[in-house]
Amino acid sequence: MATRARPTGRRNQVLSREQIIGTAVELLDAGGEGALTVRALTERLTTGAGAIYYHVGNRDELLDTATETVVTAALTTRPAQTAATPEDEIRVVALALFDTIAEHPWLATRLILQIVRNPAGPVTVGIFERIGRQVSALGVPQAHWFDAASTLVHYILGAVGQNARIEGDTSGVEPHADRDEFLGATAEAWQALDPEDYPFMHAIAGRISEHDDREQFLTGIAVVLGGLARLR
């Protein structure tokens, strides 16, 4: 009597879109965009390429979806206190994006690409809406809403991008360079400058090795908020 062959693990596994996206984020976190391929996904999930394309589309669509998923989660962060001010809200969402990109370095490049290529997409709209509502709540005149929100968003993305490892042309940059060593070498180079020609750079050279990235980031937010207060 013939017996039915036992189904393989591949056919037993029912993949969801969430599983694919979660695994894609894991691959991106481990090795950057170069590590995310359809082949790597199929091997990790023990499935066929058809299942990947069915649920999320091609690789570019998967990258966009992974970006949207991670950013959307960051934008749900809210202040701990119930009576939060607009300034509190802005600092919370700014730090949420800062910390998320620190956790997912590949995200910095993808986030900027989303803003540029898809201004009506959920990532761009989500960030501007969350920031823009607080700009309005600050009492900034409506005529300045776009400029004020854009200034905040541009500062946030520029600052977090500088602190992340941007993929692309990184010639001359060690991929796993130690932060302290890098900052120490930079401080020494600045201190070696002629103080008469570069008095400012010479004066701040000792600070670069001691600064905290998150505190510096918040200082920048405070500077922007101080400027917005003058528009009211």
Side-chain angles (χ1 to χ4, degrees):
M1 179 178 178
T3 57
R4 180 178 296 177
R6 178 180 297 178
T8 65
R10 173 175 294 184
R11 296 191 180 277
N12 266 339
Q13 186 178 24
V14 179
L15 281 179
S16 68
R17 189 169 185 268
E18 290 71 24
Q19 285 176 299
I20 296 172
I21 296 170
T23 302
V25 171
E26 291 175 0
L27 290 170
L28 288 165
D29 289 347
E33 286 193 27
L36 180 61
T37 64
V38 173
R39 179 177 181 179
L41 269 178
T42 58
E43 291 177 352
R44 179 74 68 90
L45 294 169
T46 61
T47 189
I52 306 297
Y53 293 122
Y54 173 79
H55 284 290
V56 294
N58 60 32
R59 182 177 180 274
D60 285 338
E61 291 171 317
L62 178 56
L63 281 165
D64 287 343
T65 302
T67 301
E68 178 186 341
T69 300
V70 175
V71 172
T72 299
L75 292 176
T76 63
T77 307
R78 301 292 173 181
Q81 66 272 33
T82 55
T85 65
E87 290 91 344
D88 293 332
E89 292 275 1
I90 289 172
R91 281 189 287 267
V92 164
V93 69
L95 276 179
L97 290 170
F98 183 95
D99 292 340
T100 297
I101 292 179
E103 183 180 354
H104 309 282
W106 56 272
L107 186 60
T109 302
R110 299 307 307 183
L111 186 52
I112 293 171
L113 288 175
Q114 283 262 0
I115 298 274
V116 172
R117 294 177 180 175
N118 194 10
V123 170
T124 307
V125 171
I127 293 174
F128 268 88
E129 183 66 25
R130 180 78 192 277
I131 294 293
R133 288 187 186 186
Q134 305 314 314
V135 167
S136 171
L138 282 170
V140 174
Q142 187 170 355
H144 296 298
W145 282 2
F146 174 70
D147 291 340
S150 296
T151 298
L152 273 165
V153 171
H154 292 162
Y155 169 74
I156 292 168
L157 296 184
V160 297
Q162 183 177 340
N163 282 287
R165 177 175 178 266
I166 301 296
E167 295 192 353
D169 182 9
T170 55
S171 55
V173 178
E174 292 293 334
H176 304 292
D178 179 82
R179 178 182 183 276
D180 291 338
E181 291 181 1
F182 172 77
L183 294 180
T186 301
E188 289 181 6
W190 288 2
Q191 287 171 340
L193 295 171
D194 188 329
E196 292 187 3
D197 292 334
Y198 302 96
F200 177 78
M201 299 301 292
H202 201 269
I204 66 171
R207 174 61 179 156
I208 187 172
S209 299
E210 304 169 357
H211 83 280
D212 179 273
D213 290 336
R214 290 176 97 251
E215 290 299 323
Q216 185 184 65
F217 178 67
L218 286 175
T219 298
I221 293 293
V223 170
V224 177
L225 290 177
L228 295 185
R230 300 181 61 183
L231 296 175
R232 287 180 282 189

